[in-house]
Amino acid sequence: MPHDNIRPSARFNDEDSNTSPNPGFDSVLDARLSRRGLLRGSAALGGAAALGGCATMAGPAAPVSALGFAPVARTLADQVTVPAGYTARVIYALGDPLTAATPAFSNDGTDVDYGNRAGDHHDGIEWFGMDAAGQPSDSFASRGLLAMNHEATTDEKLSSFFIHANGGTASLPRPAAEIDKELMIHGISVVEVQTDGKAWATKPGSAFNRRITTMTPVAIHGPARGSEHLMTKYSPDGTQARGTLNNCGTGRTPWGTFISGEENWFGYFFRDAKDDDARKKDKQVQALNRYGRKAGAASRHGWESGGTADTYARWNNSAVGTSAKDDFRNEMNTFGYIVEIDPYDKSQALRKRTALGRLGHENATFARAVAGQPVVAYMGDDARGEYIYKFVSTAKWDPADARPANRLAAGDKYLDKGTLYVARFKADGSGEWLELSMNNPVIAGSSYFVFRNEADIAVFTRLAADAVGATKMDRPEWGGVNPKNGEVYITLTNNSARTPATTDAANPRAYVDMKGSKEQKGNVNGHIVRLAEKQPADAAFLWDIYLFAAQADADKTTVNLSNLSDGNDLSSPDGLVFSQATGVCWIQTDDGAYTDTTNCMLLAALPGQRGDGASRTLSYGDKKVTTHVGRPQTAATLKRFLVGPKGAEITGITETPDGRAIFVNIQHAGENTKMSDVNDPSKYESQWPSNAGYGAGKRPRSATIVITKNDGGVIGT
Ligand code: FEO
Ligand code: CA
Ligand code: CA
Ligand code: CA
């Protein structure tokens, strides 16, 4: 189905493979819910407000009560615009060297050796402080490591055209030399940064600098380790894999490691047109369809066409050998996980934490860790009609693990054993976390898909969530936990497939918006849902819609339900990160709907709490949908802080512990440039960051910027 207003990168997020009949499971579910004695009413959440403090995060909290800057106006300028009194500088862009021996980036398509350079499409980012001796520090604010995702690459017709001299090859087969470069610009990087008190800069020769790519060795952890579904020619026992892919959102564990979510990995795999028959229509076929890879699916870059070497053959997910140990029919099952690295120790392989499920993972955000309680993480599956998940560890938090001798061993302890849940939202403003395990009779007895063990649930998580009747959401993206009260915010970026007939209380809008002369339909601008739990491990929650994104001029009874105005209107919220220093909720956009008026942006919010607004009823003909909206926004509670360059999405954000510097990622400026114009800068959609004085060449580059206040103060105050 065509999606005219989907921007180039987002076409891979707009997967719509959830055809599950899950509403039909309601009767089974309701019986089970009543057995559990679901908590109802706000009284049940009375304890939530007491969850103050910030035991595991850096620096003492100094919450701000007012946003002390003038909002940035909407703009289509090809630059990063920040408020008066602030300075934004580029410090780390695609291709920048990560070793002292790597040549400077020429940015004309001739560069190689991307395994020693910054990757492309900077996304989620996290700060890991270091003291003068190079030891991890939660308080040091002038030296640290930035760990970040390199999600994807700006492409057209198979080719990542900005990294090839003439734009590369737009047809099959693709030359191995082009593929070799593309394989290395995806993944994760770690780069050391420091400030001399005047300016931040990376350290290209730092021994901590690291690249992780599609080729880096990986250890499979959790219930899927050794599963028959992960056996490949590379790892016949299903315990190892190679690389990480389409890394989107990030997180930071209570024990000080970096978490990365694998999001649109399925699009990189080719499947033969006869593959359903070759697999004798086993249950993998149902799963492959559910994860967006029908037989005959073409791959995003044609990497499988580079030759017979495993490097290329692994991207052909077809059953072509005599068994799974002779081919790469299961290669796709080695992606789709939360991966963990120790940012301070590059000698350690990355670990895929399969207990957290196989999804189109955005990020994972952790509840405040409490001594003697499980560790809890919240996660979104970003595709149309997918779900919100929560992981609850079996091990109980030991505060001594906040500074463990072996950080990845702490990860093994808390992330390899636990229970995964999926959210079901009810119309009355309550909700329940539905257990995804063999202990749940709905899963153990499922005829929709046969689950035989916990490994099946870890690998085919979406099918388990279908079976229990989870609520289909409007593309769940980042989650963030409010340090003030423990409430969980999850962005729902937009959903072109939402119709009036499928609206529900938690996804209540389906409307028409014009972009020029084009009609855009569905939940065009997205919203942010907010969950309150008495304890993070609880099976029950209460919810409301913290914010409905909209144009300021949209109808306030049907679309602009949060009272947005010129200084704070937005579309397609995606990144959402709470400042641990100030409590400010940072919201970033990845939009294609309002881009006739403004480039994507970063906003600062001072959120209240769940239930601080009122119920609203929307009418669709005879159908009425009552939803629960947070308090209306004002010019004081939500302000636009930054607008990015043309074609760019604003992705990750992180901060120093003192709150005096923030690092923001700018992804795919100029992505609407045509491949045929690759050597004609006058036709580029964007020339950022070269037009900001950064680096050689005029080809646009994804990059990290640092923002400081000119008076040296705390950002946002
Ligand atoms: Fe990579 Fe869902 O954004
Ligand atoms: Ca519009
Ligand atoms: Ca995102
Ligand atoms: Ca997005």
Side-chain angles (χ1 to χ4, degrees):
M1 133 183 25
H3 302 295
D4 287 339
N5 295 308
I6 302 299
R7 51 167 196 76
S9 291
R11 70 192 188 272
F12 299 101
N13 292 72
D14 218 35
E15 185 56 46
D16 186 15
S17 56
N18 189 356
T19 54
S20 66
N22 59 13
F25 289 76
D26 277 6
S27 51
V28 179
L29 206 75
D30 284 339
R32 200 167 63 81
L33 295 187
S34 56
R35 281 201 302 278
R36 282 196 175 189
L38 178 63
L39 293 172
R40 285 174 195 276
S42 57
L45 272 292
L51 297 173
C54 189
T56 61
M57 300 306 290
V64 301
S65 53
L67 298 169
F69 60 90
V72 170
R74 294 178 298 251
T75 177
L76 292 168
D78 188 28
Q79 63 184 47
V80 171
T81 307
V82 292
Y86 286 83
T87 299
R89 287 183 57 245
V90 182
I91 58 165
Y92 181 59
L94 164 70
D96 278 351
L98 286 170
T99 75
T102 307
F105 192 59
S106 65
N107 194 25
D108 60 4
T110 62
D111 300 281
V112 292
D113 196 16
Y114 282 93
N116 288 313
R117 298 181 181 279
D120 203 357
H121 279 208
H122 299 39
D123 205 300
I125 183 171
E126 303 289 337
W127 163 271
F128 295 91
M130 276 199 308
D131 63 19
Q135 294 301 307
S137 166
D138 289 342
S139 57
F140 228 70
S142 59
R143 180 188 183 194
L145 303 175
L146 294 175
M148 74 185 76
N149 287 338
H150 297 289
E151 184 181 30
T153 166
T154 300
D155 57 347
E156 185 185 319
K157 295 177 190 151
L158 303 171
S159 180
S160 171
F161 58 91
F162 279 128
I163 65 160
H164 303 306
N166 59 1
T169 305
S171 58
L172 298 173
R174 301 210 45 230
E178 289 180 13
I179 297 169
D180 292 346
K181 282 165 63 169
E182 293 174 8
L183 291 172
M184 304 305 274
I185 60 175
H186 293 71
I188 296 169
S189 69
V190 178
V191 61
E192 184 177 344
V193 293
Q194 62 181 10
T195 178
D196 57 4
K198 296 189 199 107
W200 285 89
T202 61
K203 279 178 72 178
S206 169
F208 290 96
N209 292 351
R210 180 181 187 183
R211 269 309 309 284
I212 290 167
T213 72
T214 61
M215 298 297 294
T216 305
V218 167
I220 303 291
H221 276 248
R225 180 177 172 85
S227 160
E228 62 182 300
H229 306 307
L230 271 69
M231 293 173 177
T232 64
K233 191 176 166 190
Y234 175 74
S235 178
D237 67 357
T239 61
Q240 308 290 316
R242 273 177 297 192
T244 185
L245 190 56
N246 212 270
N247 304 76
C248 188
T250 51
R252 189 192 156 89
T253 63
W255 48 97
T257 60
F258 175 77
I259 288 287
S260 171
E262 298 180 326
E263 191 189 28
N264 291 308
W265 38 274
F266 40 84
Y268 292 79
F269 292 91
F270 165 80
R271 263 191 88 208
D272 189 90
K274 300 227 166 70
D275 193 45
D276 286 359
D277 295 336
R279 290 170 185 267
K280 301 187 172 57
K281 299 194 165 47
D282 70 7
K283 75 177 185 183
Q284 288 261 7
V285 172
Q286 182 185 355
L288 285 160
N289 290 338
R290 181 66 181 81
Y291 280 92
R293 285 290 90 179
K294 290 191 166 59
S299 67
R300 178 170 175 172
H301 296 289
W303 288 343
E304 75 285 351
S305 71
T308 54
D310 281 4
T311 313
Y312 315 111
R314 62 186 288 225
W315 306 104
N316 179 352
N317 202 66
S318 310
V320 294
T322 52
S323 84
K325 298 178 183 182
D326 305 309
D327 60 23
F328 294 98
R329 74 185 66 181
N330 286 334
E331 187 76 358
M332 217 173 91
N333 294 339
T334 70
F335 292 95
Y337 300 103
I338 289 291
V339 302
E340 182 182 15
I341 66 165
D342 182 346
Y344 298 104
D345 185 356
K346 65 183 185 185
S347 71
Q348 303 265 356
L350 71 85
R351 300 185 184 182
K352 295 210 177 183
R353 300 297 184 188
T354 65
L356 281 71
R358 181 163 161 268
L359 321 169
H361 276 290
E362 189 78 16
N363 79 327
T365 186
F366 288 80
R368 183 180 69 102
V370 175
Q373 298 294 314
V375 167
V376 175
Y378 304 87
M379 301 170 286
D381 182 355
D382 180 13
R384 292 181 292 169
E386 294 299 342
Y387 311 126
I388 294 171
Y389 295 81
K390 158 166 117 171
F391 173 80
V392 178
S393 71
T394 301
K396 305 292 193 286
W397 178 244
D398 175 354
D401 288 329
R403 292 170 182 273
N406 183 332
R407 284 173 288 274
L408 288 176
D412 295 348
K413 175 179 174 182
Y414 295 107
L415 297 183
D416 284 347
K417 283 206 181 97
T419 307
L420 195 59
Y421 297 85
V422 67
R424 184 177 194 238
F425 291 78
K426 304 194 97 177
D428 64 359
S430 68
E432 189 176 14
W433 292 106
L434 308 169
E435 183 172 335
L436 303 179
S437 83
M438 296 303 285
N439 294 330
N440 184 339
V442 178
I443 290 180
S446 168
S447 56
Y448 167 69
F449 187 84
V450 177
F451 297 96
R452 290 171 309 158
N453 50 42
E454 302 298 341
D456 280 4
I457 296 168
V459 178
F460 306 120
T461 311
R462 281 182 174 173
L463 292 125
D466 294 344
V468 299
T471 301
K472 295 180 178 180
M473 307 299 288
D474 288 342
R475 292 187 51 198
E477 300 249 27
W478 284 65
V481 175
N482 187 345
K484 210 170 178 179
N485 60 14
E487 293 183 348
V488 185
Y489 289 63
I490 296 164
T491 56
L492 300 161
T493 195
N494 57 55
N495 186 353
S496 57
R498 186 68 66 182
T499 64
T502 61
T503 52
D504 59 31
N507 302 274
R509 289 187 310 175
Y511 54 97
V512 176
D513 173 80
M514 298 307 294
K515 185 181 183 186
S517 59
K518 262 184 206 160
E519 262 193 0
Q520 310 182 111
K521 285 187 181 171
N523 179 4
V524 177
N525 305 112
H527 58 286
I528 301 175
V529 69
R530 174 166 56 185
L531 278 53
E533 299 163 306
K534 193 170 180 184
Q535 300 292 339
D538 284 359
F541 60 87
L542 297 176
W543 63 269
D544 69 1
I545 307 294
Y546 160 61
L547 179 74
F548 283 100
Q551 296 183 198
D553 60 4
D555 186 290
K556 287 194 175 170
T557 62
T558 56
V559 178
N560 185 8
L561 301 173
S562 293
N563 190 45
L564 302 186
S565 53
D566 286 340
N568 63 19
D569 67 345
L570 71 148
S571 180
S572 305
D574 182 341
L576 187 149
V577 174
F578 277 92
S579 164
Q580 301 300 319
T582 62
V584 167
C585 178
W586 294 103
I587 299 166
Q588 304 175 305
T589 70
D590 170 16
D591 187 45
Y594 199 18
T595 45
D596 51 342
T597 300
T598 183
N599 298 338
C600 288
M601 60 186 71
L602 167 68
L603 303 100
L606 296 175
Q609 61 185 46
R610 190 217 65 87
D612 60 9
S615 294
R616 293 281 286 270
T617 299
L618 304 178
S619 296
Y620 300 100
D622 292 341
K623 180 178 176 178
K624 308 266 185 255
V625 178
T626 296
T627 189
H628 313 285
V629 192
R631 74 178 179 203
Q633 297 297 327
T634 69
T637 60
L638 180 65
K639 285 186 188 185
R640 190 178 302 110
F641 181 81
L642 173 155
V643 180
K646 290 179 90 68
E649 159 186 354
I650 312 304
T651 50
I653 177 170
T654 191
E655 65 186 350
T656 51
D658 60 5
R660 294 173 195 274
I662 59 172
F663 301 89
V664 177
N665 276 342
I666 309 291
Q667 188 185 96
H668 62 65
E671 77 160 352
N672 298 296
T673 301
K674 285 196 163 35
M675 183 174 173
S676 53
D677 294 330
V678 68
N679 285 323
D680 183 354
S682 72
K683 295 198 172 137
Y684 294 172
E685 180 192 27
S686 169
Q687 293 186 9
W688 190 88
S690 70
N691 64 5
Y694 190 84
K698 292 190 170 168
R699 295 181 179 199
R701 299 158 73 185
S702 295
T704 303
I705 61 174
V706 60
I707 300 174
T708 50
K709 209 170 172 182
N710 298 346
D711 66 4
V714 174
I715 308 295
T717 61

